[in-house]
Amino acid sequence: TKALSARNNANDWYYVDLTKDIIPMIEDYTPRASFEHKNIFYNKTTLDKTKPNYITCTFGIQATAPNATRCFNWISQEYHDEFIWYRKQGDSEWTQVESFKNEIGHRAYYNRIRSEFTDGTPFVTHKVIIKNLGAGTYEYKVGRDDSYMSDVKTFRVVENPSKFVFVQTSDQQGFRWDEYQIWKDAAKYIKDNVGFNFVVNTGDITQNGNRVNEWLDYYDARELSFEGIEEMTVIGNNDLCPANLYVLGDGGDSAKINPRNMSYFYTYEMDENNLPIFNIEGKEVYVDSLYSFNYGNTHFICVNSEITDKTETMVYGLSTNGLVYDEMKKWCEKDMELNTTQSWNIAVMHELPFTILTQYNVNQFYWDGVESNNPSRSGSHINYNNLEKNKYWFSTFCQEHNIRLAIGGHKHTYAATLPILENPANNMKPIIQVTQEMLETMFGSSELKEDTSEASLAGQLFPASWIGDDTYKTKKHLCTFQLVDKITAPIYITNQATGYKHTSNKELPSKEVPWDYYFFPCTSVITDKTTVKDTVNAGQRYPFYTIYEVTDG
């Protein structure tokens, strides 16, 4: 169940206690002799042959009324013409719409997908987009006929909300059914304790995107609590698969390069005026998980942060890396040009441009009183898998286009930054924006001052309380400050895993990250520049979700 390099029979035997209530399929685990066809030691969740599977409802470009759009996606095991039936709650007549099958041009990406999962299971993906919906609650069902039909599900359309709430979840990834039960419990807790309009999932739904059982285990746990609630997703690195979609891969990062299987499970509407399809070196490159939508007064721009150099060369067949993000940059800029009337802009991705720094990262930049002259904050692929002219382009894009909030996951630890700007002169030293009130309440200072004690700090401003205090010595080498009347810089919020895998990345935050306002710093024992032993903060040991409330003001 794990990556080959991590397998250890002595540690990995998994014993099933048949007396427990949580066993999903007792008959499959019951001991049987070989002549009774005993052929499994662990049973993985499979597609249901009797009805459609993994039915998702997402927003189109316009999420709220008037003229709202909903996108639907489902999976069946055999190829047949299939349909969605929908009606406004209270109406007696159903409207029937067939799933896309003969679209041409860029709309061909909506057509049914016939393929098979790596366990050999054949499947068909069906997609439908319904437009011009008014406010109200709707019922729908998908299938072929009465012999192969889903349960009746619902979705709700609201009009001009003056306030709305969405919940962010992330990184539910698991190897097996029981690991997804933590996600199931977390989803139930959210349902019972939070009033919200929709969910944004910032990726890593699975541990290995080519194992269908993980998608199904995620979905089964999700549907118990979130049925009737739209879920907007972006792809995570663990949701990727090898260049060859029919190969499972060894579970390592080098085999996780292809985002195509995201289209098996979700439909997102393409903007006809700004397609996520690029002509690069004479090749047509369709980028999954690149779309945007408007909910009330807020524009959400959702981007794929997982384009690696191998994605470009082995999946898209390009000559070098950085070419896809160069086109995505143009797409993002046009997306903002086409959406200028919203009050707020929010960016959504898996791995953010500003992520946690480990103590090892910090030591490589500043050690023994000396700053590195070749620093790199690294982090997200969107930061560094670029042409030289586009280094750190997305965070720069956010601050130039009034994107005040960017949310992501990946690091399996919660971190909320102060408002921060890129610093073109030194990308290892971002600029922290503060107002006079923030300066006084957060830093206990009435002014910003230059620190003249070291040449490498010349011309940079810090809270007066930091000057002359060695407690802040390292932090001063990692940032600078700007005093403003009104905050314009984005903040970046990383959501801790909403599942069992809280510290799997083994990348624990240094206490020295000056732009992280609220986070879980680890305890580090530093032997020398390259030898650091970190101890996890207990705050990282819990499943997390984040609630966002957006108002007109």
Side-chain angles (χ1 to χ4, degrees):
T1 60
K2 297 181 179 179
L4 290 173
S5 60
R7 293 179 186 175
N8 181 319
N9 281 349
N11 297 331
D12 292 346
W13 279 105
Y14 180 67
Y15 297 95
V16 178
D17 184 348
L18 295 175
T19 68
K20 299 294 184 183
D21 292 335
I22 65 167
I23 300 304
M25 295 157 282
I26 290 180
E27 64 276 10
D28 287 333
Y29 287 115
T30 301
R32 294 193 295 272
S34 57
F35 72 85
E36 297 174 293
H37 309 294
K38 177 66 173 180
N39 58 8
I40 60 170
F41 78 94
Y42 188 81
N43 199 67
K44 294 182 181 294
T45 308
T46 56
L47 293 178
D48 189 330
K49 297 179 181 179
T50 67
K51 62 182 181 180
N53 294 256
Y54 211 105
I55 304 163
T56 56
C57 173
T58 56
F59 299 137
I61 295 170
Q62 182 57 40
T64 49
N67 302 318
T69 299
R70 291 295 182 272
C71 306
F72 302 87
N73 200 101
W74 68 92
I75 289 175
S76 297
Q77 197 162 341
E78 297 177 359
Y79 185 88
H80 296 272
D81 288 339
E82 295 192 15
F83 309 86
I84 185 171
W85 289 265
Y86 73 97
R87 66 186 179 188
K88 208 167 191 178
Q89 209 167 58
D91 292 348
S92 57
E93 297 297 319
W94 295 95
T95 299
Q96 176 184 300
V97 180
E98 186 174 2
S99 66
F100 293 117
K101 64 177 180 180
N102 292 318
E103 300 295 313
I104 60 174
H106 64 270
R107 291 180 62 85
Y109 288 99
Y110 293 139
N111 285 338
R112 298 169 190 170
I113 303 170
R114 301 180 71 173
S115 189
E116 66 178 44
F117 294 116
T118 51
D119 66 357
T121 303
F123 70 92
V124 181
T125 286
H126 294 269
K127 299 178 183 292
V128 170
I129 297 177
I130 299 173
K131 297 188 175 187
N132 300 316
L133 294 165
T137 299
Y138 293 78
E139 299 173 326
Y140 71 98
K141 55 186 178 179
V142 302
R144 301 168 200 156
D145 50 39
D146 289 342
S147 67
Y148 189 86
M149 186 70 67
S150 72
D151 299 332
V152 174
K153 297 178 174 293
T154 63
F155 65 89
R156 182 168 173 256
V157 178
V158 300
E159 184 169 3
N160 298 326
S162 59
K163 180 180 77 172
F164 66 90
V165 174
F166 70 95
V167 170
Q168 180 192 2
T169 67
S170 199
D171 297 84
Q172 291 87 353
Q173 62 201 81
F175 287 101
R176 54 194 186 222
W177 177 90
D178 60 318
E179 291 171 346
Y180 279 96
Q181 300 315 294
I182 287 82
W183 156 233
K184 177 181 176 182
D185 288 345
K188 184 178 185 303
Y189 186 91
I190 294 168
K191 174 192 174 186
D192 292 344
N193 292 275
V194 183
F196 58 100
N197 297 81
F198 60 95
V199 176
V200 174
N201 188 324
T202 46
D204 276 6
I205 287 173
T206 67
Q207 178 59 38
N208 186 322
N210 256 14
R211 286 197 285 251
V212 65
N213 60 287
E214 295 172 7
W215 292 95
L216 295 173
D217 288 339
Y218 166 81
Y219 177 79
D220 289 345
R222 177 211 179 280
E223 279 299 279
L224 284 173
S225 296
F226 292 169
E227 195 284 315
I229 298 171
E230 292 86 351
E231 176 188 42
M232 309 304 288
T233 62
V234 287
I235 197 162
N237 58 302
N238 287 301
D239 300 323
L240 303 168
C241 60
N244 184 342
L245 291 165
Y246 303 101
V247 174
L248 181 62
D250 63 4
D253 288 344
S254 62
K256 296 176 180 179
I257 58 175
N258 191 343
R260 185 68 180 121
N261 57 6
M262 196 71 170
S263 289
Y264 296 162
F265 302 98
Y266 296 91
T267 296
Y268 292 112
E269 185 182 11
M270 293 183 283
D271 189 334
E272 303 280 340
N273 297 308
N274 191 28
L275 297 171
I277 304 169
F278 311 124
N279 187 308
I280 308 175
E281 296 185 331
K283 298 178 175 66
E284 183 173 278
V285 174
Y286 169 65
V287 179
D288 291 270
S289 195
L290 179 63
Y291 65 97
S292 66
F293 66 96
N294 296 311
Y295 193 98
N297 65 348
T298 302
H299 181 65
F300 291 79
I301 181 169
C302 305
V303 301
N304 185 332
S305 62
E306 305 309 313
I307 304 296
T308 69
D309 54 347
K310 289 184 178 180
T311 305
E312 301 204 58
T313 57
M314 296 176 65
V315 176
Y316 298 138
L318 305 177
S319 63
T320 186
N321 66 308
L323 301 179
V324 173
Y325 277 134
D326 191 44
E327 293 299 321
M328 280 180 60
K329 179 181 178 183
K330 300 171 189 174
W331 183 94
C332 289
E333 290 170 344
K334 187 169 183 179
D335 178 78
M336 297 305 293
E337 290 174 9
L338 294 171
N339 294 278
T340 59
T341 61
Q342 286 73 34
S343 304
W344 302 110
N345 300 301
I346 297 175
V348 182
M349 57 182 34
H350 180 59
E351 189 173 9
L352 291 163
F354 285 94
T355 59
I356 67 159
L357 293 183
T358 66
Q359 189 60 47
Y360 179 88
N361 295 147
V362 173
N363 291 354
Q364 302 314 297
F365 176 64
Y366 177 71
W367 178 259
D368 197 25
V370 178
E371 286 186 7
S372 167
N373 60 6
N374 186 29
S376 172
R377 200 173 65 242
S378 189
S380 173
H381 294 294
I382 213 165
N383 260 3
Y384 64 84
N385 190 45
N386 283 300
L387 303 175
E388 187 61 35
K389 67 177 182 178
N390 291 333
K391 296 293 184 182
Y392 302 95
W393 73 269
F394 193 78
S395 41
T396 304
F397 165 81
C398 286
Q399 66 199 44
E400 291 176 348
H401 291 83
N402 194 32
I403 294 174
R404 293 295 316 285
L405 172 67
I407 63 175
H410 185 66
K411 290 299 186 182
H412 299 217
T413 185
Y414 184 81
T417 73
L418 292 158
I420 39 179
L421 298 171
E422 284 291 1
N423 185 351
N426 189 335
N427 287 112
M428 200 64 189
K429 288 186 175 182
I431 302 165
I432 298 174
Q433 269 193 355
V434 291
T435 62
Q436 187 67 39
E437 180 183 4
M438 290 170 62
L439 186 60
E440 293 172 0
T441 57
M442 294 181 179
F443 299 95
S445 299
S446 59
E447 61 178 337
L448 296 179
K449 295 181 66 175
E450 182 180 356
D451 191 324
T452 58
S453 62
E454 298 180 53
S456 56
L457 299 178
Q460 299 165 42
L461 298 176
F462 307 97
S465 59
W466 285 21
I467 308 300
D469 187 340
D470 282 347
T471 305
Y472 300 101
K473 187 173 184 179
T474 298
K475 289 184 178 180
K476 285 185 292 187
H477 287 273
L478 292 169
C479 71
T480 183
F481 280 74
Q482 179 187 74
L483 184 63
V484 295
D485 294 327
K486 181 181 179 180
I487 297 295
T488 59
I491 65 169
Y492 298 82
I493 295 184
T494 303
N495 191 84
Q496 193 159 301
T498 323
Y500 89 102
K501 236 180 173 185
H502 309 308
T503 57
S504 67
N505 278 354
K506 300 177 183 177
E507 295 181 8
L508 305 181
S510 165
K511 68 177 182 179
E512 303 290 358
V513 187
W515 56 79
D516 278 342
Y517 171 64
Y518 187 89
F519 68 120
F520 294 119
C522 68
T523 301
S524 297
V525 177
I526 307 168
T527 305
D528 55 46
K529 183 178 181 180
T530 59
T531 307
V532 181
K533 183 178 181 181
D534 293 327
T535 302
V536 66
N537 186 310
Q540 277 188 266
R541 297 297 194 189
Y542 299 91
F544 257 58
Y545 61 93
T546 309
I547 307 167
Y548 301 89
E549 180 179 288
V550 184
T551 67
D552 282 343

